[in-house]
Amino acid sequence: MVHSEKHPRPAADKPREHARHWRAATGIDLFEADYKRFTFPKHSHDYYAFGTMLDGAEKFITRGTSYVARRGQLLLMNPMQIHDGGPASDEGYHYQIMFIAPEIFADLIAEISPRSPGLPFFGNSVINDPDLHLLLQRLHRMFHPETRHATPDLERDSALLYGAARLALRHADAPPFTYHPGSEDRRVRRVIEYMAAHLDENITLDELATLTGLSRFHLLRVFRDATGLPPHTYLGHMRLRRAKRMLFDGAAIADTAAATGFSDQSHLNRHFKAMWGVSPGAFIASLR
């Protein structure tokens, strides 16, 4: 009797997900990903996020509206704007994101419009602007670790300022948006500040309720109304954002896990990968 040898299914059956982060400058981070099936949970960024769709299509929900961003379109997200994300077609989605800290964007806008009373707010999360799409792609190349040496600082800084001007003047809503996390309710802001100062601790709902003078149930309702997320989810996202910054700055994974309230490296690894699409180790490797 001839026994047929069973071979495992080739790894190619499972599409590979690619993601890379790098720091362009103080307050400016870049991200590029080619996802086939990866989906983001509801989350937010403490930076502005300006994305260029290179291929495929991404679907997401933000502020109660469903969007699909396709090749050639731009994604715009304000700081702390809750959204999810995932493929809108079988081919997945390939995009680049430029994250800009609110204070950096404020400095750029102040040069454009010195009397502007606050930061721009972008009400439409998907826009068509072919010229700006090309400009943001150029900016990615200018700040990319392998190619940034080919661009003079003057040209790069000029392109960044021009890109900020085009974003704000053509696509921002009026009135301008002033960025204050939790500004909708001073008690929510107090909770956010407390969580930020105690990221490595096991914070309880009782602590937060005592801090605000609200009942636990009332606090949950007020916090979710103000931020779009329950406190425990918001805290998890704060920890992950802090972890990402620490890894950017060269911290070890174990130290990062301990400093941001994760029980160990494997705990951080699981949540980091669910949020960013790559493990902390792969994230660090992409920085190199």
Side-chain angles (χ1 to χ4, degrees), residues 137-144 146-160:
Q137 286 187 64
R138 282 184 56 226
L139 274 171
H140 270 265
R141 289 193 296 272
M142 290 176 179
F143 281 109
H144 197 285
E146 279 85 32
T147 54
R148 64 178 301 154
H149 66 278
T151 305
D153 289 348
L154 177 60
E155 181 181 352
R156 184 165 53 243
D157 293 344
S158 299
L160 179 62

Side-chain angles (χ1 to χ4, degrees), residues 1 4 20 36 75 103 113 163 171 174-175 181 197 210 212 243 273 278:
M1 180 180 293
S4 60
R20 184 181 183 188
K36 301 306 178 187
L75 298 169
E103 59 272 20
S113 178
H171 302 295
T210 301
T212 60
K273 191 168 185 178
V278 293

